[in-house]
Amino acid sequence: MCGIVGYIGGREAAPFLVEGLRRLEYRGYDSAGAAFLVGGRVVINKATGRVSALAGALLGAGHGARTGIGHTRWATHGRPSDRNAHPHPDCQGRIAVVHNGIVENYRELKEELAAAGHRFASETDTEVLAHLVESQRNGDGLAQAVRRALRRVEGTFALAVLSADDPEVLIAARHGSPLIVGEGEGERLLASDIPALLPFTRDQLVLDDGEVAILTRDGVEVSRLLDGARTVRHAARVEWDLATAEKGGEPHFMRKEILEQPRALRDTLCGRVGLDGLPRLEELALGAGEARALEHVELIACGTSWHAGLVATRHLAELARLRASAEVASEYRYRPALPLGAEGGGKALVVAVSQSGETADTLAAMRAAAAGGARPVAVVNVVGSSIAREAEGVLYTRAGPEISVASTKAFSTQVATLFLLAAHLGRLRGTLSESGARELLAALGRVPDQLEAMLPEVAAQARALAPRLLDKRGALYLGRGYGFPLALEGALKLKEITYLHADGYPAGEMKHGPIALVGPQTLVVVVAPQDRLHAKTLSNLEEVKARDGFVVAIGTEGDRELARLADAVFWLPPAPEPLNPLLAAAPLQLLAYELSVALGRDVDQPRNLAKSVTVE
Amino acid sequence: MCGIVGYIGGREAAPFLVEGLRRLEYRGYDSAGAAFLVGGRVVINKATGRVSALAGALLGAGHGARTGIGHTRWATHGRPSDRNAHPHPDCQGRIAVVHNGIVENYRELKEELAAAGHRFASETDTEVLAHLVESQRNGDGLAQAVRRALRRVEGTFALAVLSADDPEVLIAARHGSPLIVGEGEGERLLASDIPALLPFTRDQLVLDDGEVAILTRDGVEVSRLLDGARTVRHAARVEWDLATAEKGGEPHFMRKEILEQPRALRDTLCGRVGLDGLPRLEELALGAGEARALEHVELIACGTSWHAGLVATRHLAELARLRASAEVASEYRYRPALPLGAEGGGKALVVAVSQSGETADTLAAMRAAAAGGARPVAVVNVVGSSIAREAEGVLYTRAGPEISVASTKAFSTQVATLFLLAAHLGRLRGTLSESGARELLAALGRVPDQLEAMLPEVAAQARALAPRLLDKRGALYLGRGYGFPLALEGALKLKEITYLHADGYPAGEMKHGPIALVGPQTLVVVVAPQDRLHAKTLSNLEEVKARDGFVVAIGTEGDRELARLADAVFWLPPAPEPLNPLLAAAPLQLLAYELSVALGRDVDQPRNLAKSVTVE
């Protein structure tokens, strides 16, 4: 997650770059920078910090320049630092590159380039691109060099390249990360999203994956990266207002964020599964000895993140044979402190989970654990946040900014990240076989596509279902095993945005009290994919049906028994049991979303709530 | 908890004894027996098993007898066995005793009597009474001997004694356990409760503590145990019908059981606090070495028992510095099995908690734990139940039979029993000082009296409050620390018997979602006694008040700040923080009870529920 901007035209480039970066700051804000063509030279200005703090310096550095590229960063490879900030130059300082995405084979490329004499100034994968373009120059123009360079790259990218030797062009390319070209009178603009360009032009062209664009003052030439064939593309007029544009055309941030989960999950996984198909979490810096010495894992979190933690306790038990607890941070922090670290170093692994990385209770609980001898690890979304900074190791979820108060993509990316952690620990501890890990990770890699395929149908179904639920007075969400934390999460979503009472329960607990709630005015949502406990969950469902509950089920395609028992079913594609939570979350989110809309609630800003809870 | 009957009169004694015992079987049914005077001899017939199975044998043994005593047992000292069943004879077989209660100084007495030549046939404390009476005979009659014997006894008792040498009398005495005398035409009857006598006579006399009664065919003479002074007592006519009588005059079992919690807690504690003021749980048979080797405790339970387990996790952390988890049995049993027992024996202590001792999921979870190497301990109410039988050690809660589906006294006695376990482990592990333990246990000993003192006011207040809550659509129960499991339990009670949606949450989690539910139609119940977290809970309450929630608080007497913030407050007497759950449970129970009554629900048999869940 980074933001990119670019300008070539008759006006000063710097003011546009600064304004565009401000609008893209949600995509990352640990550092920013710009490169300009000034008097036949490339001038780069970059530093850690927010765009607003750097605006003066950027405007000064770009004075007089009519071509420039800019970047606001969300660190993936290399910590936030001045050196690691973009743009990155080549050896001669004649080329500059900004990049959003991950170059997966950057080590291999870097070694090769270094052997050929290239000198690197940063720890980033992006710098490799600048040198790669430099190495591919042979007099036939910048676009050809970029094209040849990118054919050697594995991974995802949106990038912009300028060169002092090609002052009339700006090169852009896209594969897996968004990039938009804006067209104005005698100027062409570049940005990572539509809204950033809207104040300047409504005529926009969304690049497709695998396309390269050559921008000049007066036109855009789009061609295919693979074979260089020209593609005829025209800018379309964007009729959205700014507010709609920020929601990607969706009526609410929540829906936008639910629907972008396939993308978010791809980002989460990116670079964390090796070419050998095994988990690669080097960012964690946890050795096999340490992993084997672990006796238990304590996850601390609040709200939705706590539910992700509860899913993870099951992953950790199954894949790493570790006893794990997930505890609400506001309780954990005030518990009597129990010994955490053994003398030898770390019998307990403490993992703090937080979207914002600023959750006050989680931060305090993590500090309490650290004071007790733990070396806590954090799973957070916002780079450089307090929890990320104070943890001994960080796994970023890379969900991108979550604006909706009701958390959706943060949850699924947390679950995916924690799953990777469990698989990683399982490998280190020798409790997960190589073939078992490969199988699971291959299936995990398919989840974003599966999700993408099922989302349109699920969304349509949820919308059709909502009007039938308007008379419900409350809801009971049920699940077993991996389904239980999902039941809690589904119930929380409903509470948050519809203000209906909703209880999440292990399905087996229903008979110990909650079943008294079941009647015609009670919505019963059951998470019952095909798994080891499926038959037991179905029996519980029979009990509900016998009491006239309205049953919405989430199950695996082809489950006739479930279809018979439920009033409505959301179907999931088949997946290994531990991955079901990643698929089951979206129907629960969309169900709550559509019911909230149908009830006329304020979806994105539900009453009484705030996004990031930085007080107790 | 045992049941006692007695008969002296002109009819056959055996049919009355059998019928009376059947009616008292709820007080215990692991074994039963009777003693008759037949032809100048004492004939005893007793065995393990239910009364119904023994009825034929008892009727046969008592053929022709017009004086007899009977007993149905709930084992406290000594396992259920034929030998340990009551009645117990003296050395000559001329005296027989049935007893309900506990002789706390029985070891000391037994040694003394054994030294004097008495021979004991059982492991019970009761047998000591028979020999003690025998030793105190000096020709002045059975009543005098009993009186002298009982003056040497520490503990509680209701007992009946007959002697072949005093065929015209039956002696009864009471101290701490109930005993009722019934008067008929030419016959006197004895039983542990009023309903057992109702089919035979409505003229009944309830013995007071410290009284001895001499029953003859034609009269009853009551005197004081201490000084032998006669007291003038007359039978009163019981106007209750049988159904009311079984509820002790209350409209519902639930209310009866809530109100008898002081008695239930006294029974729980009885004999488990030594004369030195320290915990005494010999029944557990857990050595100091084993206790020190423990690394964590896993509590497994369902429903209300799970909430007691959650309270216990906090007790175990605080008093025994043990990491403890309480997990829903239906989830625990299907989790991947993790190693439990270390080679040396028991790094994990597994504790199964169940009122009935028959809960299917808890039993299966306990078996899974045992298969994984644990030696599980059980905390159950029903003696001889499956869970009690299969556990390696049992702590009986001694709540007495719980008829109401919504569990009340079972919960508080579970909490008290688990507290004793935590204190016991704390002493064995050296994490709880002697003085600390004494202080806590002395405070624990005061809880039944405190509860008894506050209950009438709390009951009246709950009744007055209920009509004001009829418009509420749902409830949010909040608490921190020890208050959180209480919030869960309060919410469950409400759900079970009012069918209103109710959520229990750690107060600190409210801002992460549930606060969206707060509005004028939401009842907010907050458990906020004076404790370390009190100020934080009050801040959460401010947030609720700011959103027009109707707040019912449970707090400590004199808390003005709480009184200001709440619409109604139930006051608790001051107590050490870990004991607050024992005091706070009753207001939550009575609140749910009165609202259920006000809503016209079937309190004792709420819809969809059953008492003991013996299926998955």
Side-chain angles (χ1 to χ4, degrees):
Chain A
M1 278 299 295
C2 301
I4 288 178
V5 289
Y7 181 89
I8 184 164
R11 294 190 282 168
E12 288 251 328
F16 162 72
L17 297 190
V18 168
E19 179 59 23
L21 288 178
R22 273 187 209 273
R23 293 174 170 275
L24 292 174
E25 210 171 12
Y26 76 87
R27 299 178 65 86
Y29 41 76
D30 60 59
S31 52
F36 302 97
L37 288 187
V38 186
R41 291 192 313 121
V42 173
V43 174
I44 292 179
N45 191 291
K46 60 185 194 173
T48 53
R50 316 275 304 219
V51 173
S52 50
L54 301 174
L58 295 182
L59 291 171
H63 184 67
R66 313 210 176 261
T67 304
I69 55 178
H71 190 270
T72 180
R73 183 166 185 247
W74 184 290
T76 54
H77 292 62
R79 320 190 140 250
S81 73
D82 292 356
R83 268 162 48 146
N84 289 339
H86 299 209
H88 291 287
D90 67 342
C91 293
Q92 310 302 326
R94 304 291 292 170
I95 295 171
V97 177
V98 290
H99 166 228
N100 168 22
I102 291 173
V103 179
E104 292 183 7
N105 59 335
Y106 85 102
R107 290 205 180 162
E108 194 184 315
L109 292 171
K110 192 167 178 173
E111 278 168 27
E112 180 189 318
L113 289 162
H118 290 267
R119 301 176 311 281
F120 292 85
S122 79
E123 307 155 309
T124 64
D125 53 341
T126 300
E127 192 184 2
V128 168
L129 297 176
H131 293 279
L132 198 57
V133 171
E134 180 186 18
S135 75
Q136 299 293 329
R137 298 217 62 164
N138 57 11
D140 58 354
L142 184 60
Q144 293 303 330
V146 169
R147 213 188 302 276
R148 280 192 293 272
L150 291 181
R151 283 185 199 137
R152 300 219 38 212
V153 170
E154 289 166 24
T156 58
F157 50 80
L159 53 79
V161 187
L162 57 70
S163 156
D165 301 314
D166 306 73
E168 301 302 320
V169 297
L170 201 59
I171 310 297
R174 162 178 179 169
H175 183 70
S177 297
L179 201 54
I180 323 285
V181 178
E183 304 206 58
E185 193 57 36
E187 59 187 6
R188 297 296 174 274
L189 308 90
L190 211 51
S192 294
D193 74 15
I194 291 172
L197 293 176
L198 270 189
F200 306 97
T201 175
R202 293 190 165 272
D203 297 315
Q204 303 188 4
L205 189 168
V206 180
L207 289 184
D208 281 337
D209 277 348
E211 287 185 334
V212 176
I214 304 172
L215 282 64
T216 59
R217 286 176 59 159
D218 299 312
V220 184
E221 192 187 306
V222 179
S223 58
R224 288 207 305 240
L225 176 57
L226 205 64
D227 54 12
R230 282 283 299 273
T231 47
V232 182
R233 298 287 305 277
H234 297 289
R237 192 153 184 90
V238 176
E239 300 294 354
W240 298 339
D241 59 23
L242 199 57
T244 309
E246 284 173 344
K247 293 172 192 153
E250 298 293 341
H252 301 99
F253 281 109
M254 184 177 178
R255 190 175 139 93
K256 167 182 173 281
E257 291 162 9
I258 292 172
L259 297 181
E260 75 191 14
Q261 288 178 104
R263 193 278 308 150
L265 286 169
R266 280 187 198 107
D267 284 354
T268 304
L269 303 186
C270 189
R272 286 168 171 165
V273 180
L275 296 173
D276 54 1
L278 295 173
R280 225 175 69 186
L281 291 186
E282 285 138 19
E283 33 194 329
L284 200 61
L286 189 82
E290 280 174 279
R292 281 201 206 96
L294 286 178
E295 296 199 343
H296 57 109
V297 178
E298 300 193 349
L299 296 125
I300 42 186
C302 298
T304 291
S305 302
W306 177 56
H307 299 154
L310 287 171
V311 176
T313 60
R314 287 155 171 80
H315 284 144
L316 287 160
E318 188 161 344
L319 307 185
R321 293 189 60 70
L322 273 165
R323 186 167 274 109
S325 63
E327 199 169 353
V328 162
S330 65
E331 290 292 301
Y332 184 99
R333 65 184 287 198
Y334 293 115
R335 280 265 196 122
L338 295 172
L340 281 163
E343 306 77 49
K347 282 164 68 177
L349 177 67
V350 173
V351 183
V353 188
S354 165
Q355 187 281 126
S356 68
E358 303 292 345
T359 316
D361 280 320
T362 309
L363 182 57
M366 189 178 83
R367 285 177 180 157
R375 296 171 52 200
V377 164
V379 171
V380 301
N381 191 33
V382 177
V383 173
S385 54
S386 303
I387 290 174
R389 285 199 312 272
E390 293 194 21
E392 294 278 330
V394 188
L395 293 176
Y396 288 113
T397 54
R398 307 181 190 155
E402 194 176 62
I403 311 296
S404 161
V405 166
S407 178
T408 55
K409 63 178 181 173
F411 174 75
S412 44
T413 54
Q414 283 167 349
V415 170
T417 306
L418 289 163
F419 174 86
L420 285 168
L421 174 62
H424 181 61
L425 290 174
R427 285 300 301 144
L428 290 177
R429 292 164 58 82
T431 55
L432 178 63
S433 70
E434 241 186 73
S435 63
R438 273 207 196 95
E439 209 167 295
L440 277 174
L441 264 59
L444 177 63
R446 287 190 293 273
V447 164
D449 291 343
Q450 290 181 309
L451 207 50
E452 206 151 54
M454 68 182 250
L455 274 171
E457 170 65 20
V458 169
Q461 221 186 324
R463 180 159 302 173
L465 184 58
R468 295 171 65 194
L469 306 178
L470 293 174
D471 66 326
K472 300 298 172 231
R473 299 284 284 268
L476 203 55
Y477 282 69
L478 304 171
R480 284 174 180 264
Y482 287 108
F484 165 50
L486 268 285
L488 287 175
E489 175 58 10
L492 180 61
K493 286 288 101 43
L494 198 77
K495 274 189 273 231
E496 286 178 313
I497 59 172
T498 69
Y499 320 150
L500 284 171
H501 280 271
D503 263 318
Y505 262 97
E509 270 290 283
M510 195 178 53
K511 280 187 297 293
H512 295 281
I515 198 173
L517 298 182
V518 177
Q521 286 196 310
T522 309
L523 167 64
V524 177
V525 180
V526 62
V527 182
Q530 289 285 5
D531 59 21
R532 286 167 298 175
L533 306 176
H534 183 254
K536 315 225 167 266
T537 310
L538 287 196
S539 320
N540 300 136
L541 206 50
E542 295 269 13
E543 295 152 10
V544 168
K545 274 322 283 177
R547 285 156 185 97
D548 290 328
F550 185 94
V551 175
V552 173
I554 293 167
T556 305
E557 285 161 13
D559 185 346
R560 283 198 199 164
E561 199 54 21
L562 187 64
R564 184 181 66 76
L565 286 166
D567 296 280
V569 189
F570 291 99
W571 294 117
L572 310 180
E577 196 168 323
L579 299 177
N580 279 329
L582 293 171
L583 296 165
L588 294 167
Q589 295 159 350
L590 282 163
L591 180 67
Y593 169 79
E594 291 294 350
L595 190 52
S596 176
V597 171
L599 288 166
R601 309 288 193 230
D602 186 343
V603 176
D604 281 333
Q605 263 129 22
R607 69 179 184 190
N608 307 346
L609 294 176
K611 181 63 187 164
S612 162
V613 181
T614 54
V615 295
E616 277 196 46
Chain B
M1 279 297 297
C2 301
I4 289 179
V5 288
Y7 181 89
I8 185 165
R11 295 191 281 168
E12 288 252 327
F16 163 72
L17 298 190
V18 169
E19 178 61 22
L21 288 179
R22 274 185 207 274
R23 294 174 170 276
L24 292 175
E25 210 171 13
Y26 75 87
R27 299 178 64 86
Y29 41 74
D30 59 59
S31 52
F36 301 97
L37 288 185
V38 186
R41 291 191 313 122
V42 173
V43 174
I44 293 178
N45 191 291
K46 61 185 193 172
T48 51
R50 316 275 306 219
V51 173
S52 50
L54 301 173
L58 294 182
L59 290 172
H63 185 68
R66 310 204 180 268
T67 304
I69 56 179
H71 189 269
T72 181
R73 182 164 186 247
W74 185 288
T76 55
H77 291 62
R79 321 191 139 250
S81 72
D82 292 356
R83 267 163 50 147
N84 289 339
H86 297 213
H88 290 287
D90 67 343
C91 294
Q92 310 302 325
R94 305 289 293 169
I95 295 171
V97 177
V98 290
H99 166 227
N100 167 23
I102 292 173
V103 179
E104 292 184 6
N105 59 337
Y106 86 102
R107 288 203 184 167
E108 193 183 315
L109 292 170
K110 192 168 180 174
E111 277 168 28
E112 180 189 317
L113 289 162
H118 290 267
R119 300 175 312 283
F120 291 85
S122 80
E123 307 154 311
T124 66
D125 53 340
T126 301
E127 191 183 3
V128 168
L129 296 175
H131 292 279
L132 197 60
V133 172
E134 179 185 18
S135 75
Q136 298 293 330
R137 300 218 60 164
N138 57 11
D140 58 356
L142 184 61
Q144 293 302 330
V146 169
R147 214 189 299 277
R148 279 192 294 273
L150 291 181
R151 284 186 199 136
R152 301 220 36 213
V153 169
E154 288 166 24
T156 58
F157 51 80
L159 54 79
V161 187
L162 57 71
S163 155
D165 301 315
D166 305 74
E168 301 302 321
V169 298
L170 200 59
I171 310 298
R174 161 178 179 168
H175 182 72
S177 297
L179 202 53
I180 322 287
V181 178
E183 303 207 59
E185 193 58 38
E187 59 186 6
R188 297 295 172 274
L189 308 91
L190 209 54
S192 294
D193 75 14
I194 291 173
L197 292 175
L198 271 188
F200 306 98
T201 175
R202 294 189 163 273
D203 296 317
Q204 303 189 5
L205 188 169
V206 180
L207 289 183
D208 279 338
D209 276 348
E211 287 185 335
V212 176
I214 303 172
L215 282 65
T216 58
R217 285 177 59 158
D218 299 313
V220 184
E221 192 187 304
V222 180
S223 58
R224 290 207 303 239
L225 175 59
L226 204 64
D227 54 12
R230 281 284 296 272
T231 46
V232 183
R233 299 288 304 277
H234 296 290
R237 194 153 182 88
V238 176
E239 300 295 354
W240 298 339
D241 59 24
L242 199 58
T244 309
E246 285 174 346
K247 294 173 192 153
E250 297 293 341
H252 301 98
F253 281 109
M254 185 178 177
R255 191 176 138 93
K256 167 182 174 280
E257 291 163 9
I258 293 171
L259 297 180
E260 74 190 14
Q261 286 178 103
R263 192 277 308 150
L265 286 169
R266 279 186 199 108
D267 284 355
T268 304
L269 303 187
C270 188
R272 286 169 171 164
V273 180
L275 295 174
D276 54 1
L278 295 174
R280 225 175 68 185
L281 291 185
E282 287 139 17
E283 33 195 327
L284 200 60
L286 187 81
E290 278 173 283
R292 281 202 206 96
L294 286 178
E295 296 197 344
H296 59 110
V297 178
E298 301 192 350
L299 297 125
I300 42 185
C302 298
T304 290
S305 303
W306 177 56
H307 300 154
L310 286 172
V311 176
T313 60
R314 288 155 170 79
H315 285 145
L316 286 160
E318 186 161 345
L319 309 184
R321 293 190 61 66
L322 273 165
R323 185 167 276 111
S325 62
E327 199 168 353
V328 163
S330 65
E331 290 292 302
Y332 185 98
R333 65 185 287 199
Y334 294 115
R335 280 264 198 124
L338 295 172
L340 282 163
E343 307 73 53
K347 282 164 68 179
L349 177 67
V350 173
V351 183
V353 189
S354 165
Q355 188 282 125
S356 68
E358 304 292 347
T359 316
D361 279 320
T362 309
L363 182 58
M366 189 177 85
R367 285 176 181 160
R375 295 171 51 200
V377 164
V379 171
V380 301
N381 191 34
V382 176
V383 173
S385 53
S386 304
I387 291 175
R389 284 199 312 272
E390 293 195 18
E392 294 280 329
V394 187
L395 293 176
Y396 286 113
T397 54
R398 305 179 189 156
E402 194 175 62
I403 310 295
S404 161
V405 166
S407 177
T408 55
K409 63 178 182 172
F411 174 74
S412 45
T413 54
Q414 283 167 350
V415 170
T417 305
L418 289 164
F419 174 87
L420 285 167
L421 173 63
H424 181 61
L425 290 174
R427 286 298 303 142
L428 290 178
R429 292 164 59 82
T431 54
L432 178 63
S433 70
E434 238 184 78
S435 63
R438 272 204 197 96
E439 210 167 292
L440 277 174
L441 264 58
L444 177 63
R446 287 190 294 274
V447 165
D449 292 344
Q450 290 180 308
L451 206 50
E452 205 152 53
M454 69 181 249
L455 274 172
E457 171 64 18
V458 169
Q461 221 186 324
R463 181 158 301 174
L465 185 58
R468 295 170 65 194
L469 306 179
L470 293 174
D471 67 326
K472 300 297 172 233
R473 300 284 285 269
L476 202 55
Y477 282 69
L478 303 172
R480 281 174 182 265
Y482 288 109
F484 166 51
L486 268 285
L488 286 177
E489 176 57 11
L492 180 60
K493 287 286 100 53
L494 199 76
K495 273 189 274 228
E496 286 178 313
I497 59 172
T498 70
Y499 320 149
L500 284 171
H501 280 270
D503 263 317
Y505 261 97
E509 270 290 284
M510 196 179 52
K511 280 188 297 293
H512 294 281
I515 199 174
L517 298 182
V518 176
Q521 286 197 309
T522 309
L523 166 65
V524 177
V525 180
V526 61
V527 183
Q530 289 285 5
D531 60 20
R532 287 167 298 175
L533 305 177
H534 184 252
K536 314 225 166 267
T537 310
L538 287 196
S539 320
N540 300 136
L541 207 49
E542 295 269 13
E543 295 152 9
V544 168
K545 274 321 283 179
R547 286 158 183 96
D548 291 328
F550 185 94
V551 175
V552 173
I554 293 167
T556 306
E557 284 162 13
D559 184 345
R560 283 197 200 164
E561 199 54 21
L562 188 65
R564 184 181 66 74
L565 285 167
D567 296 280
V569 189
F570 291 99
W571 294 118
L572 310 180
E577 196 168 322
L579 300 177
N580 278 329
L582 293 171
L583 297 165
L588 294 168
Q589 295 159 351
L590 282 164
L591 180 67
Y593 169 78
E594 291 294 349
L595 190 51
S596 176
V597 171
L599 288 166
R601 308 289 192 229
D602 185 343
V603 176
D604 281 333
Q605 263 129 20
R607 70 178 183 190
N608 307 345
L609 293 177
K611 181 63 186 164
S612 162
V613 181
T614 54
V615 294
E616 276 196 48

